[in-house]
């Protein structure tokens, strides 16, 4: 499989649940990103990993916890979410931080 | 502050008509420029990019974009729109390509509708 993949594609969870989003890139890139895309809002950059180290955390609430075990995989662990966290979560990768990014299809998250 | 502006929130064009989507940026120097397209419920797909050289850049799906330094613009064009081009289009810039300061900064997007 090529490109950037994300699982699951759709997720419905209650406010007390714990779940994880997974992203995998097959492009040999060194940087990976999590974005949140809500209706009628611009793309929000959440986290940046470069060479498996977190280099940016844009004031994201602690109920979102990223993990990058290697350069090909990125996770977003979710717990005690709020309804306003419902959104499309996009993962991206790039050859290096600050170069063109390639996106996965996203996970549509609904918090009930 | 550095920013990317897409002045048109929503544009409707007839199938077969030409298209131009506007993008302006505010930076002191020439940034690296990108256009992405997003179909409903999908991720973003890179259409084209400009780093340097020829200011007219060709991309996928028949799109092109022209960088105009004097106008701080990077407008996206297509001579003949197809119904499958209906999507949302995002302009993005990065100030420091490949560098630690460089993250993509996105515009708010322009939604394109195509009427038969």
């Amino acid at each position: 499989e090529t490109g950037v993949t994300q699982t699951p594609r759709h997720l419905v969870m209650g406010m007390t649940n714990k779940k994880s989003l997974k992203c995998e890139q097959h492009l040999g890139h060194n940087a990976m990103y999590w974005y949140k895309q809500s209706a009628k809002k611009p793309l929000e950059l959440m986290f940046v990993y470069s060479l498996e180290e977190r280099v940016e955390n844009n004031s994201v609430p602690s109920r979102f916890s990223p993990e990058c075990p290697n350069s090909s995989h990125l996770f977003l662990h979710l717990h005690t979410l709020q309804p306003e966290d419902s959104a499309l979560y996009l993962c991206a990768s790039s050859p290096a931080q600050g170069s063109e990014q390639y996106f996965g299809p996203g996970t549509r998250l609904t918090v009930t | 502050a550095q920013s990317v502006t897409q002045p048109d929130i929503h544009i409707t064009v007839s199938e077969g008509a030409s298209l131009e989507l506007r993008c302006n940026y505010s930076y002191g120097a020439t940034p690296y420029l990108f256009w992405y397209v997003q179909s409903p419920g999908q991720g973003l797909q890179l259409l084209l990019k400009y780093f340097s050289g020829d200011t007219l850049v060709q991309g996928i799906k028949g799109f092109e974009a022209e960088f105009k330094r004097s106008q701080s613009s990077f407008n996206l064009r297509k001579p003949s729109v197809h119904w499958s081009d209906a999507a949302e289009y995002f302009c993005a810039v990065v100030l420091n390509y490949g560098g630690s300061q460089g993250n993509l900064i996105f515009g708010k997007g322009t939604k394109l509708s195509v009427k038969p």
Side-chain angles (χ1 to χ4, degrees):
Chain A
E1 196 166 0
T2 59
V4 181
T5 58
Q6 290 186 243
T7 54
R9 293 293 312 275
H10 300 271
L11 178 62
V12 179
M13 60 185 288
M15 293 168 61
T16 58
N17 291 159
K18 285 185 179 181
K19 296 286 185 183
S20 296
L21 309 184
K22 179 183 176 182
C23 175
E24 185 172 0
Q25 60 99 358
H26 309 267
L27 300 169
H29 290 169
N30 289 322
M32 296 187 78
Y33 311 77
W34 279 117
Y35 288 87
K36 176 183 178 183
Q37 188 178 37
S38 305
K40 303 187 179 184
K41 281 187 171 183
L43 274 166
E44 300 173 56
L45 179 62
M46 301 175 71
F47 300 104
V48 181
Y49 277 82
S50 179
L51 297 171
E52 301 160 40
E53 287 193 21
R54 191 193 309 182
V55 296
E56 195 151 337
N57 174 351
N58 281 350
S59 303
V60 179
S62 59
R63 57 186 182 268
F64 295 92
S65 174
E67 179 189 2
C68 187
N70 55 62
S71 60
S72 297
H73 294 86
L74 185 65
F75 294 89
L76 188 63
H77 303 299
L78 316 170
H79 68 96
T80 325
L81 293 192
Q82 305 298 310
E84 61 264 29
D85 297 322
S86 298
L88 183 67
Y89 288 84
L90 293 165
C91 173
S93 70
S94 63
Q97 188 186 357
S99 58
E100 66 274 19
Q101 295 178 18
Y102 296 85
F103 286 78
T107 295
R108 172 66 64 186
L109 173 67
T110 303
V111 181
T112 60
Chain B
Q2 301 154 350
S3 66
V4 178
T5 302
Q6 293 181 247
D8 304 304
I9 297 173
H10 191 184
I11 283 182
T12 299
V13 300
S14 297
E15 191 168 16
S18 63
L19 170 70
E20 183 169 25
L21 302 182
R22 297 183 289 166
C23 173
N24 294 93
Y25 62 90
S26 63
Y27 288 97
T30 301
Y32 300 96
L33 299 152
F34 309 87
W35 274 100
Y36 285 85
V37 60
Q38 184 180 31
S39 297
Q42 298 295 316
L44 279 68
Q45 182 182 20
L46 180 65
L47 282 175
L48 46 78
K49 58 189 178 186
Y50 172 77
F51 294 157
S52 64
D54 192 345
T55 56
L56 186 62
V57 180
Q58 302 297 320
I60 62 171
K61 305 186 179 190
F63 285 92
E64 65 178 26
E66 185 172 14
F67 168 61
K68 292 186 177 179
R69 185 190 306 273
S70 61
Q71 298 176 21
S72 298
S73 69
F74 188 56
N75 293 349
L76 182 71
R77 302 194 296 243
K78 187 169 184 178
S80 178
V81 169
H82 188 261
W83 64 267
S84 60
D85 293 323
E88 190 152 19
Y89 292 79
F90 294 90
C91 181
V93 306
V94 64
L95 185 60
N96 184 15
Y97 183 84
S100 60
Q101 300 173 29
N103 291 318
L104 285 183
I105 299 174
F106 286 89
K108 293 184 178 180
T110 297
K111 183 176 180 181
L112 173 66
S113 297
V114 180
K115 58 183 181 182

